[in-house]
């Protein structure tokens, strides 16, 4: 069965040519030979027959005579196929056929081109296979978990140690929120500054998360060691500011990396951020009250600080390995290596 338009035309033309040759051969045998000599060798076209017979008759006569007819017949069929192909190309150039094949008008290009399949879409699993995305998810869990760790633990500590009233407890939590609101825009400005990022190469935006996490871990550890509300509030101010400083670059890193991957998964990467955020604010604050009942408030703050330090160390592994392998100059000179 023909696989494309040209093959179908060739098959049809060949069948018509065979039928025409058979009819012309029958007509020639019936007119140029007598009944008694039709089976003889001298029944081929001779004399006046050559002068009056048209081209199709000569071809049919040669086919009866022997091998030369095969050559002329093939030439005739090839000429017919060429005319059919030209006619098809003039009518259907650039139009897909029923089989999905497109006929090309360019002689330098192949006659049939099959369109390539659609590009594969980026999935969430593909995103999680990328180290920067996975690292940002981890950073989201640790930073948001550390910020949410005070809600189930700090009110109990204030009531038990300082006998603080409920309305004053609410005021204390303002010390965490307000600094984060102030520091966020400033951190965002420096996060998008290429000159600042080049100085931090190859850590780039990860440097903000690493520095903010380590500094916040120190401030949280100091909260457990304070003996008055004033010192506790001061440390909470630092925790709020440093946590906001560490959280701002996360979405920026995710967006930049998705753009470098092709830019077809912004919604998916934002969904991953929301999932990591939910894990951080649910799991870590949930497991802290039992720990606090077992080891006390100061040790619990030490656990939270350890979580931040762990996240910072994980984020620093890959950039540090790149720095040791290539040197800092490879990221800031001509044709610098890519970093986030």
């Amino acid at each position: 069965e023909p696989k494309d338009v040209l093959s179908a035309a060739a098959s049809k033309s060949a069948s018509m040519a065979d039928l025409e040759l058979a009819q012309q051969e029958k007509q020639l045998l019936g007119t140029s030979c007598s009944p008694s000599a039709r089976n003889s060798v001298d029944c081929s076209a001779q004399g006046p027959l050559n002068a009056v017979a048209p081209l199709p008759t000569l071809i049919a006569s040669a086919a009866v005579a022997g091998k030369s007819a095969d050559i002329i017949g093939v030439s005739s069929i090839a000429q017919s196929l060429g005319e059919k192909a030209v006619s098809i190309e003039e009518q259907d150039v650039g139009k897909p056929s029923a089989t999905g094949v497109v006929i090309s008008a360019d002689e330098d290009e192949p006659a049939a081109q099959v369109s390539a399949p659609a590009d594969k879409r980026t999935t969430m699993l593909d995103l999680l296979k990328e180290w920067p995305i996975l690292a940002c998810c981890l950073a989201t869990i640790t930073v948001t978990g550390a910020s949410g760790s005070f809600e189930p633990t700090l009110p109990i500590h204030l009531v038990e140690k300082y006998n603080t009233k409920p309305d004053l407890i609410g005021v204390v939590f303002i010390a965490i929120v307000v600094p984060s609101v102030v520091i966020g825009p400033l951190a965002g400005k420096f996060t998008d500054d290429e000159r600042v990022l080049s100085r931090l190469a190859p850590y780039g935006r990860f440097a903000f998360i690493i520095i903010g996490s380590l500094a916040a871990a120190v401030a949280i550890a100091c909260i457990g060691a304070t003996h008055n509300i004033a010192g506790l509030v001061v440390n909470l101010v630092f925790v709020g500011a440093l946590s906001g400083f560490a959280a701002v670059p996360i979405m920026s890193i995710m967006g930049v990396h998705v753009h470098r991957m092709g830019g077809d998964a912004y919604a998916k990467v934002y969904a991953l951020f929301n999932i990591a955020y939910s894990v951080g604010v649910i799991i870590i604050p949930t497991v802290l009250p039992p720990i606090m009942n077992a080891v006390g408030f100061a040790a619990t703050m030490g656990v939270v600080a350890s979580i931040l330090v762990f996240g910072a160390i994980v984020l620093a592994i890959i950039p540090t390995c790149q720095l040791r392998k290539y040197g800092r100059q490879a990221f800031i000179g001509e044709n610098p290596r890519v970093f986030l």
Side-chain angles (χ1 to χ4, degrees):
E1 182 176 347
K3 293 183 178 180
D4 50 36
V5 176
L6 296 180
S7 299
S11 177
K12 183 176 180 181
S13 299
S15 301
M16 294 176 63
D18 292 341
L19 180 61
E20 183 180 359
L21 287 175
Q23 292 177 351
Q24 292 175 355
E25 178 183 354
K26 181 178 180 180
Q27 181 181 1
L28 179 63
L29 291 177
T31 57
S32 64
C33 298
S34 61
S36 60
R38 283 179 182 174
N39 294 329
S40 65
V41 179
D42 295 335
C43 193
S44 60
Q46 294 179 358
L49 182 62
N50 292 333
V52 298
L55 180 59
T57 306
L58 291 177
I59 294 176
S61 176
V64 177
K67 186 180 298 184
S68 60
D70 294 334
I71 300 174
I72 299 176
V74 169
S75 300
S76 176
I77 293 173
Q79 182 179 2
S80 177
L81 290 178
E83 294 174 356
K84 293 285 185 180
V86 171
S87 176
I88 292 171
E89 289 181 356
E90 291 176 350
Q91 295 178 4
D92 297 329
V93 165
K95 298 179 180 179
S97 67
T99 59
V101 178
V102 179
I103 300 175
S104 174
D106 193 350
E107 295 179 358
D108 297 333
E109 295 180 359
Q113 298 178 352
V114 180
S115 58
D119 294 337
K120 181 182 177 182
R121 304 292 293 178
T122 304
T123 64
M124 283 193 176
L125 183 60
D126 295 331
L127 292 174
L128 289 175
K129 293 179 181 178
E130 299 290 325
W131 177 83
I133 303 297
L134 189 61
C136 285
C137 289
L138 175 63
T140 303
I141 294 173
T142 58
V143 173
T144 58
S147 299
S149 64
F150 298 103
E151 296 177 6
T153 59
L154 187 59
I156 300 174
H157 174 68
L158 291 174
V159 171
E160 290 181 350
K161 187 171 184 178
Y162 303 108
N163 196 22
T164 307
K165 296 180 180 181
D167 53 352
L168 186 58
I169 293 175
V171 175
V172 170
F173 273 94
I174 296 177
I176 302 177
V177 177
V178 173
S180 179
V181 173
V182 174
I183 203 67
L186 295 177
K189 178 182 178 180
F190 290 112
T191 298
D192 293 331
D193 193 332
E194 295 295 335
R195 294 175 299 177
V196 175
L197 295 179
S198 63
R199 293 178 182 178
L200 297 174
Y203 296 91
R205 295 175 177 87
F206 282 111
F208 293 90
I209 306 176
I210 295 169
I211 295 173
S213 298
L214 293 176
V218 174
I220 291 174
C222 292
I223 290 176
T226 56
H227 300 287
N228 55 69
I229 295 181
L232 187 144
V233 170
V234 171
N235 283 303
L236 286 177
V237 170
F238 282 104
V239 170
L242 295 170
S243 297
F245 184 80
V248 167
I250 294 176
M251 281 302 301
S252 177
I253 295 173
M254 286 181 160
V256 170
H257 190 71
V258 168
H259 176 73
R260 292 175 181 175
M261 291 177 63
D264 64 338
Y266 292 111
K268 296 183 181 69
V269 79
Y270 187 72
L272 287 176
F273 172 81
N274 286 337
I275 293 172
Y277 186 92
S278 300
V279 170
V281 298
I282 292 175
I283 293 181
I284 294 179
T286 300
V287 301
L288 288 180
I291 297 176
M292 181 176 174
N293 292 333
V295 298
F297 179 77
T300 302
M301 292 297 100
V303 172
V304 176
S306 300
I307 293 174
L308 286 173
V309 172
F310 170 77
I313 292 174
V314 172
L315 294 183
I317 291 176
I318 298 299
T320 302
C321 292
Q322 292 177 342
L323 181 63
R324 292 172 59 87
K325 182 176 181 180
Y326 303 109
R328 186 172 180 274
Q329 192 63 31
F331 298 90
I332 60 176
E334 295 184 358
N335 299 321
R337 297 184 63 86
V338 176
F339 65 95
L340 292 168

